[in-house]
């Protein structure tokens, strides 16, 4: 059975379970049948009072859990979260740095910030400090996808993305092994996400 590539809940199929806040980390670390991802979601970046302490704690958890991943982190410039972008940027760089040092996959959230996020990742690539990245809930254009793919990125998509009228257009040319199913924050959607993913990918021409 295919695993859940990005979730915030336990899934019997296994997969990567991502933190929302620092308080989630001990609980995720105790889940023997899931891969924990330690981080702070960009919606809560402004709640981190001491970024240096956060960076130290993230390093510590990654040393202690060698199979863990990093995230969820990223940038959200939606109207609600745009005021906290500076805090989001700082924590994004801390997450990316930790993921690179420990050679871990980092789960990225991106809303209305694709150009900025792409620029950040390209700069890290130029400096040879780019970790492996997964962009979850991917809904960008094929042109954007090509840019992220060139940096080694992979994508995950759930029911919302797979049900969109432009789903085939968005995902048809993403190569096999570069796009995966997710349930995100809706565990009840996992069976449908998996079914839609298999249906759509089965009808795609991979280029």
């Amino acid at each position: 059975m295919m695993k859940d590539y990005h979730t915030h809940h336990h899934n019997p199929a296994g997969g990567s379970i991502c933190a929302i806040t620092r308080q989630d980390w001990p609980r995720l670390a105790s889940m023997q049948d899931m891969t924990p991802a330690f981080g702070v979601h960009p919606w809560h970046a402004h709640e981190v009072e001491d970024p240096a302490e956060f960076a130290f704690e993230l390093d510590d958890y990654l040393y202690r859990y060698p199979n863990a991943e990093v995230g969820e982190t990223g940038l959200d410039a939606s109207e609600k979260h745009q005021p906290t972008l500076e805090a989001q940027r700082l924590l994004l760089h801390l997450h990316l740095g930790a993921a690179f040092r420990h050679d871990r996959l980092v789960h990225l959230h991106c809303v209305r910030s694709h150009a900025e996020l792409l620029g950040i990742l390209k700069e890290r690539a130029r400096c040879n400090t780019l970790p492996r990245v997964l962009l979850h809930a991917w809904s960008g254009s094929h042109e954007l996808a090509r840019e992220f793919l060139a940096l080694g990125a992979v994508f995950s998509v759930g029911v919302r993305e797979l049900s969109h009228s432009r789903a085939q257009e968005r995902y048809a040319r993403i190569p096999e092994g570069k796009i995966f199913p997710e349930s995100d924050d809706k565990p009840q959607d996992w069976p449908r996400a998996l079914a839609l993913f298999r249906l759509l990918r089965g009808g795609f021409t991979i280029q």
Side-chain angles (χ1 to χ4, degrees):
M1 175 180 273
M2 188 173 287
K3 70 178 183 179
D4 191 340
Y5 276 77
H6 181 96
T7 186
H8 299 290
H9 303 273
H10 180 267
N11 189 329
S16 299
I17 184 165
C18 298
I20 296 293
T21 69
R22 169 64 182 82
Q23 287 67 42
D24 293 332
W25 298 5
R27 175 178 60 86
L28 301 191
S30 70
M31 292 188 177
Q32 300 298 320
D33 53 349
M34 299 289 289
T35 299
F38 303 122
V40 171
H41 195 286
W43 294 351
H44 297 275
H46 63 287
E47 298 170 8
V48 175
E49 296 180 356
D50 188 337
E53 182 180 1
F54 165 82
F56 178 84
E57 291 182 342
L58 181 55
D59 266 328
D60 180 56
Y61 262 76
L62 294 176
Y63 277 120
R64 289 163 56 193
Y65 299 95
N67 295 321
E69 296 169 352
V70 174
E72 177 175 354
T73 184
L75 297 174
D76 192 321
S78 61
E79 184 177 355
K80 180 178 180 180
H81 300 289
Q82 195 276 339
T84 68
L85 268 174
E86 279 305 312
Q88 294 179 43
R89 291 183 183 108
L90 175 57
L91 252 64
L92 170 61
H93 282 288
L94 294 178
H95 284 88
L96 290 170
F100 175 75
R101 287 192 300 277
H102 295 269
D103 189 22
R104 309 297 174 85
L105 177 73
V106 56
H107 294 249
L108 296 176
H109 168 108
C110 189
V111 175
R112 299 184 184 177
S113 306
H114 288 97
E116 180 175 358
L117 179 61
L118 185 61
I120 289 170
L121 299 185
K122 283 183 173 180
E123 180 60 27
R124 284 191 166 268
R126 283 192 290 270
C127 297
N128 295 313
T129 58
L130 178 65
R132 292 172 289 129
V133 301
L134 177 148
L135 285 96
H136 101 93
W138 176 252
S139 61
S141 67
H142 177 60
E143 290 72 25
L144 264 178
R146 287 180 62 187
E147 297 242 40
F148 283 107
L149 285 166
L151 296 171
V154 298
F155 309 95
S156 61
V157 287
V159 167
R160 179 181 56 191
E161 295 78 39
L162 292 165
S163 301
H164 196 278
S165 60
R166 296 177 62 189
Q168 187 162 354
E169 173 189 338
R170 287 173 174 169
Y171 309 129
R173 289 178 284 179
I174 296 179
E176 197 72 27
K178 296 292 185 178
I179 185 167
F180 307 97
E182 66 165 51
S183 67
D184 196 13
D185 61 349
K186 295 183 173 64
Q188 69 275 13
D189 282 356
W190 173 244
R192 187 168 176 232
L194 192 56
L196 284 172
F197 182 82
R198 287 172 169 161
L199 177 66
L200 286 172
R201 290 303 285 183
F204 285 169
T205 299
I206 307 303
Q207 300 178 1

